[in-house]
Amino acid sequence: MPSPQLPPTAPRPSTSPSQDPSPRAAPPSSKGGGLTARLAELQVNRPALPLLAAGLLTVIALFLATRLQVLTGFESLLPASRPSVQELDRVAAKTAGVSTLFVVLQGGEGTPTVALQKAADALVPEIERLGPPWVGSVEDGVHEAFSYLSPRAGLYVERDRLTKLRDDIEARYAYEVNKATGALLDDDEPPPEVSARSIEQSLGLQGIDAGRYPDGYYQSKDGKTVVVAIRSKVLASDFAAGTEAIRRVREVVDRVHPASFDPGITYGLAGDLQTGIAEYAAINEDLTDVGVVGAALIAAVVFLYYLRVRMLVAMLITVGTGVAWTFGVTQLALGHLNMATGFLFSIVAGNGINFGIIYMARYLEARRGGASLLEGVRVAHRETWLPTLTAGCAAAAAYGSLLATDFRGFHDFGLIGGAGMVLCWVATFVALPSVLAVMERLSPLDRESPGWLGRFRRRTQGGIAFGEPFARLAARSPAGLTVAGLALAAVGLVAAVGYVRADPMEYDLRNLRNDERVRAEQIRLGALAEEITGYVGTDGMAILVDRPEQVEPLRAALYARRDAASEGEKPFKEIYALQDLVPRDQDAKIPLLQEIKERVLRARKRGLLGDEDWSRIQAIIPPDDLAPFGIDDLPAGVARAFTETDGTRGRIVYISPITSESVHDAHYLFRWADAYRETRLPDGSVVRGSGRAVIYADMWAAVIDDVPPAVLFSLAATVLVVLVAFRGGRPAFAVLGALLVGVFWMAGLLVLTGVKLNFLNFIALPLTFGIGVDYAVNIVQRYAREGAGGALTAVRETGGAVILCSLTTTLGYLALVRSQNHAVRSLGVAAVIGELACLFAAVLVLPAALVWRDRRRPKGAESFVAVGRPTT
């Protein structure tokens, strides 16, 4: 940001404002018919008009901003035109209409399992009474599936095994009869015994593991946990309805009071509905926390510089107005925020307040010189509007470079940030002068306060001299600082090259999500519930075919890809479809099963099966009316995960990962996504897949494609602004040289701190060019005005405002480090590193180089940047 500059005819102080509190001559009068003069007269003489207009717009903007939604999914970072996003929306519309909520009941050391089961049984009908949309179905076990599939278990067995079982039972029956009648020959080998175990082993239970679901309940193996599974019609992304659904369920659970069945019973909620609402609430809380901390840090450093409460209040009102306008416009233009843009509040505030800092500094300088309120506002208008507008446009161009990308996370960030720079500039020149006028009427700035307060104000009227320490360092060892700065830049460049070659991307997805430690208990309960229930969880990706007839060809094609991959490179584990629950050759198997039933009953009458064995196998004895069935005959509880929202069955296929941990590795997700992203079937039709795997792979592809042009565009725009501002020549060379030193330092520090690049902190790269260059621009501008030997004066005078502007921007970024989201934290770290690197290059290495150059030049020769001085 440009700092306030005295006009060429104005007297220039030789020391820092804080060290030179003596009165100064007032700047020349600017009375006349200029636009800035007339605007100043309106704002000073009739401040209510601009303040009323600004206030009305702010109220409207705040109303709009409160309607902004925060999209938490990765898919919100991609353009809606992406095939993977379109397919995800299509599948979600068909399959995501039902979300999952688990009530996890846990018992203490002495809690009997039966108490947990009774508590679960009591919850089911009470929760079911809530009805749609809050509850679509509720169950505490596989009772419905078990009762339907158990008598039909034999239909899932191969025919040869059924034939063998029938013959074995027949042979054992004949053996026992012969043995009883004495017709058994001595050399006859006894056939296998008929028992519950032998029959269960031969028949099995397709999809129902009696050991996994004791007594048919969703129960842990140790009997200390029982889960009640709820399917809700409320989407996990619907915060208002989801919050209400969870509230109603929790109210029912509290009313049933599980602890009344045993004092040791406790409960918790889990599932994708609970996770989605909790993450949404966490992000909203995060936005507030980051915004408040950022505002507090910015306010503290601004007050430290000016040491005036009225100045702080005036600038907070101004920047608050600009930020409100920014997010009101965001609602009109986009209607939402996402993971990349949700934290722009503190960033826009940290950048946008710099216009007010520059304006306020020049205003106070004029007032200290003896100017009246009106004259001070006129001077501040005349001498800061063009420099601040130029800097605002440069910053907006840095943000705007992201508009050239297809990655929606970058595009939205650039749109909001660019608009924010322009609107904060407008807010500064519309609201700030009128705020100053009102404050002047309430309490004149030049009013002397008695006692210690008056002495404190007189001693601190110039604020803190932020630039003085850097001027002293540059004067003490200009050559050493210059050489050291260039050497570190060279080291940073070499380190960056090696870092890029070693692949600096972040592939651990846990480092891109919210901190799991914040919701560790919820994650534990969710994993426990999914393990117990066997529900198709968030790890499974759904594929939706157009016709059920496509399922088998699709499975064959996908399994062929899996089997062709080498060990350790398999893209997925299994494929699940509703068709798996419809056995083949039912017409041929049913007669065999009826024969087996007839022989089992005969064996029971003969006494070959005891009471205990008989009680175990009764559930799997086929009924007399056993008939072939299809997917439409399966109970709702069995087919629910494969049923679309309109009731259609048989078109949903799930593809599961190798392990639940593998989904955190981006390398694996790329392989998984490529395995099912697009499959051409033998009939020529194409089946597309989506889900997090494909979305994340596309997201990285978009980042890799879009970052280079965004960085080049930002660099080109920055170079163009510098060349225009300095009309080319050596001043532009000095500015760009300082910028490159800062950028190379940034690269070296990123390597040193081990920062991995991801879809969010990439944004720091193009922003560093457009925002970081302002600091060197201001130093060189002041140096050009001062002439020979002016480098130290530039740091003392302009450096203070430059450092303050950098501090507000840096603190806006630093607030992001408090975020619960690892990706947002990484953006804050990378941006802070870039800001500080460019700042120190501008206020330390650049002035040192200029001092060194001036000391070495022949006596009487013009200064290094005397050619092509800017006229603004």
Side-chain angles (χ1 to χ4, degrees), residues 468-553:
E468 181 62 29
F470 297 97
R472 291 180 181 178
L473 287 173
R476 181 175 300 174
S477 181
L481 284 175
T482 303
V483 173
L486 293 175
L488 289 175
V491 171
L493 176 60
V494 173
V497 171
Y499 193 51
V500 171
R501 288 181 175 177
D503 192 359
M505 310 303 290
E506 177 61 78
Y507 293 104
D508 188 346
L509 299 191
R510 285 170 291 198
N511 293 331
L512 303 179
R513 300 187 180 120
N514 287 351
D515 193 338
E516 293 185 352
R517 292 173 297 180
V518 177
R519 53 187 190 91
E521 177 62 13
Q522 185 185 111
I523 293 174
R524 184 189 72 83
L525 290 178
L528 179 63
E530 287 189 5
E531 178 185 357
I532 290 174
T533 61
Y535 270 39
V536 178
T538 56
D539 292 337
M541 297 293 107
I543 304 173
L544 182 64
V545 299
D546 295 327
R547 305 180 307 278
E549 295 77 20
Q550 294 176 309
V551 169
E552 289 308 319

Side-chain angles (χ1 to χ4, degrees), residues 282-326:
I283 288 179
N284 280 340
E285 180 182 345
D286 216 8
L287 292 175
T288 303
D289 183 52
V290 168
V292 169
V293 170
L297 291 174
I298 293 168
V301 74
V302 170
F303 177 75
L304 181 64
Y305 183 77
Y306 289 110
L307 295 175
R308 290 290 187 277
V309 173
R310 69 160 64 194
M311 304 309 168
L312 173 62
V313 172
M315 282 194 289
L316 289 182
I317 291 174
T318 303
V319 75
T321 300
V323 171
W325 291 358
T326 299

Side-chain angles (χ1 to χ4, degrees), residues 609-871:
L609 287 173
D611 292 340
E612 182 178 348
D613 281 351
W614 178 245
S615 64
R616 286 176 56 183
I617 66 172
Q618 281 189 88
I620 60 175
I621 296 297
D624 293 335
D625 60 349
L626 182 64
F629 65 91
I631 58 176
D632 293 331
D633 301 311
L634 292 169
V638 177
R640 188 170 290 119
F642 302 91
T643 304
E644 299 171 34
T645 54
D646 63 358
T648 302
R649 295 181 175 185
R651 301 199 306 162
I652 301 173
V653 176
Y654 289 97
I655 180 169
S656 67
I658 294 296
T659 65
S660 59
E661 287 298 312
S662 61
V663 298
H664 301 304
D665 180 8
H667 291 293
Y668 170 73
L669 282 189
F670 299 155
R671 188 165 70 248
W672 189 19
D674 291 340
Y676 76 95
R677 177 194 299 275
E678 183 175 295
T679 306
R680 185 171 295 277
L681 303 183
D683 63 0
S685 59
V686 175
V687 176
R688 290 184 172 85
S690 188
R692 287 190 329 283
V694 178
I695 290 294
Y696 191 78
D698 282 359
M699 190 172 67
W700 265 126
V703 169
I704 293 172
D705 290 342
D706 289 342
V707 164
V711 171
L712 291 176
F713 185 89
S714 178
L715 178 60
T718 301
V719 171
L720 180 61
V721 169
V722 172
L723 292 177
V724 170
F726 291 98
R727 301 179 184 177
R730 287 179 289 180
F733 175 78
V735 170
L736 294 176
L739 174 63
L740 290 178
V741 168
V743 169
F744 292 154
W745 283 5
M746 174 189 181
L749 288 170
L750 289 176
V751 175
L752 183 64
T753 54
V755 174
K756 292 286 189 179
L757 298 181
N758 58 56
F759 68 91
L760 195 53
N761 63 17
F762 257 134
I763 295 173
L765 301 179
L767 292 187
T768 296
F769 289 116
I771 297 176
V773 75
D774 288 340
Y775 311 134
V777 165
N778 284 288
I779 296 298
V780 172
Q781 278 182 337
R782 186 61 181 259
Y783 175 65
R785 290 180 184 273
E786 294 291 335
L792 298 181
T793 302
V795 178
R796 289 191 182 99
E797 297 294 335
T798 300
V802 166
I803 293 169
L804 178 59
C805 289
S806 177
L807 284 175
T808 58
T809 302
T810 299
L811 292 174
Y813 287 131
L814 189 62
L816 302 182
V817 178
R818 286 181 54 86
S819 172
Q820 298 179 27
N821 186 275
H822 292 291
V824 174
R825 290 180 192 172
S826 70
L827 170 60
V829 170
V832 166
I833 289 175
E835 273 291 312
L836 294 180
C838 289
L839 172 65
F840 282 106
V843 299
L844 199 59
V845 177
L846 176 59
L850 294 176
V851 170
W852 186 27
R853 178 69 174 77
D854 285 345
R855 290 178 180 178
R856 290 171 55 87
R857 67 183 176 82
K859 190 174 182 179
E862 66 179 8
S863 66
F864 176 67
V865 297
V867 178
R869 294 178 186 174
T871 59

